Every structure is written in C-alpha cells, then in structure tokens.
Amino acid sequence: MKLAIISDPHGSFADLKAVLESVRRETEHILCLGDLYECHIGKKRRNERFHDVTDVVTYDPDYEALLTFPSLRGNQEERIDEVLVVSHPIKTRIALLPEQTTLDEALFLHGHQVKWNEDWEPIVDKGKYPLVFIGHSHIPGIYRKGRSLPWEIGTPFKLKKKRYVINVGAIIFDREWCLYDTEARTVTRMKA
C-alpha cells in the first residue's frame, strides 16, 4: 500500500489544496499527523477560556470541505480543545481525533509528545515500532540512532530492517509530505 503522510496544514486552504492535488496523483490513502488548525491563543494564555470561536480559531467552510481524510490530534488541536468552551463543529471534529495510530511496523503521532534537541531534531525512546512517523517541527528528515540521514525530494529512501524516525515536514508554507510504500519499504519526500 502507498500511504501519503501529511502534517501541519495549520488551516492554510491554499497549501492543503495544493498538497492534496499532489497526493491524489500518487494514492488515495492519506493520514494527517495533526495541526489541522492554527490556534490563535498562545501557550501563555492556555489557562483562559473562550466562548467565541473566532477568538480561538478561524472557521472556513471551504477548508473544512478538504478535511476528508483521517487525522491525529496535534498540539494546536489540544490547545483549541482546552480553551474553547462552546459547542462548535471544529470542537466536535477535534474530540474525535486520536493522539496516535499504528499500521503494521509503524507508529504515527504528531510529534509534540517526543523530546527535541536544540536543533529541533527528535529524540524518540526505543519502542516496539521500528518506524515512527512525526510532524510538529516542520523540518523534514529521516533519523537513525539520533543522526539525520540524507533525504532528497523525490528520491525513495529504502528502509532497512532498522529503527527510523521520519519527520514528514509541513504542508503550511513548504507544501511537503511523505509517500510511504509499505510493500517496497520506502519513504519518499514529496513537495507539491
């Protein structure tokens, strides 16, 4: 199976639309690692509560219409859910998002749950899944034993029977995503 792994659209209609057009030329299987939305409330104000959706997040019906794929809960969704105390379709969608999911040998999560070094490289504890796909930092990369490996756009990277952390990059601004071929055991860095 070929799985498109996308992350971090942050509410950008134009960027998400462009990426989805690119993705659909390759596969119909899509998973988003989170941060579908951009929370307008910063971390310092996360103890406040808001009753007006527009104070917290931009609601765009055209953007919502693009969200036809499964997604995980990112840190933006967590903050929106925490500070928005009124019933709204965005709040309903967020309530249904899982924090992580798996597929065979792969674990998928947003990435705000892992540690990061000063260069924004992930530090992921060993676990039972040899492949860990993340987003969050907006910096695409493949990591093995804490070291970044070369990964060029459009060139499939062959996954050996080893442990890897794969950061798929960000939709917003960069329009990057990852094509994971489960049968060929490759990950390809893509750009719309």
Side-chain angles (χ1 to χ4, degrees):
M1 176 178 74
K2 290 183 178 179
L3 175 64
I5 307 166
I6 63 176
S7 189
D8 298 274
H10 289 271
S12 174
F13 175 83
D15 291 331
L16 180 57
K17 185 172 186 222
V19 166
L20 291 176
E21 288 171 0
S22 176
V23 161
R24 291 190 174 116
R25 289 192 287 271
E26 302 290 336
T27 184
E28 62 197 43
H29 305 288
I30 303 169
L31 174 65
C32 181
L33 301 182
D35 280 2
L36 291 170
Y37 302 102
E38 178 67 28
C39 183
H40 303 317
I41 306 305
K43 293 177 197 174
K44 291 179 181 176
R45 296 179 64 199
R46 75 179 317 147
N47 292 329
E48 296 180 38
R49 298 298 173 254
F50 296 84
H51 298 281
D52 187 346
V53 173
T54 60
D55 289 337
V56 177
V57 65
T58 301
Y59 181 72
D60 176 1
D62 292 331
Y63 180 78
E64 292 293 315
L66 296 177
L67 304 181
T68 60
F69 45 82
S71 182
L72 302 179
R73 176 185 280 244
N75 58 296
Q76 297 293 315
E77 286 79 32
E78 281 185 359
R79 198 167 332 125
I80 292 165
D81 195 34
E82 191 175 7
V83 301
L84 185 61
V85 292
V86 62
S87 179
H88 189 272
I90 288 178
K91 184 107 167 149
T92 303
R93 178 187 298 278
I94 288 171
L96 300 173
L97 299 177
E99 196 166 294
Q100 64 183 29
T101 193
T102 61
L103 173 66
D104 301 326
E105 63 181 344
L107 171 66
F108 303 89
L109 45 101
H110 179 63
H112 65 292
Q113 307 93 328
V114 305
K115 296 175 187 153
W116 296 83
N117 70 18
E118 61 278 351
D119 296 322
W120 273 99
E121 296 173 324
I123 302 166
V124 179
D125 296 331
K126 288 185 180 180
K128 74 178 200 175
Y129 295 96
L131 304 177
V132 179
F133 289 89
I134 60 174
H136 186 56
S137 75
H138 300 202
I139 304 168
I142 296 180
Y143 303 89
R144 166 103 181 99
K145 292 186 176 179
R147 289 191 352 228
S148 178
L149 304 173
W151 193 28
E152 300 300 321
I153 292 174
T155 303
F157 181 94
K158 182 71 173 164
L159 299 165
K160 298 176 184 174
K161 292 283 184 185
K162 300 193 182 285
R163 181 170 164 72
Y164 296 95
V165 176
I166 300 117
N167 189 324
V168 303
I171 289 176
I172 194 167
F173 307 127
D174 299 323
R175 297 185 176 184
E176 290 202 30
W177 59 282
C178 174
L179 184 63
Y180 172 39
D181 188 325
T182 60
E183 292 175 22
R185 290 197 87 246
T186 60
V187 287
T188 307
R189 184 175 161 198
M190 306 290 279
K191 187 172 180 83

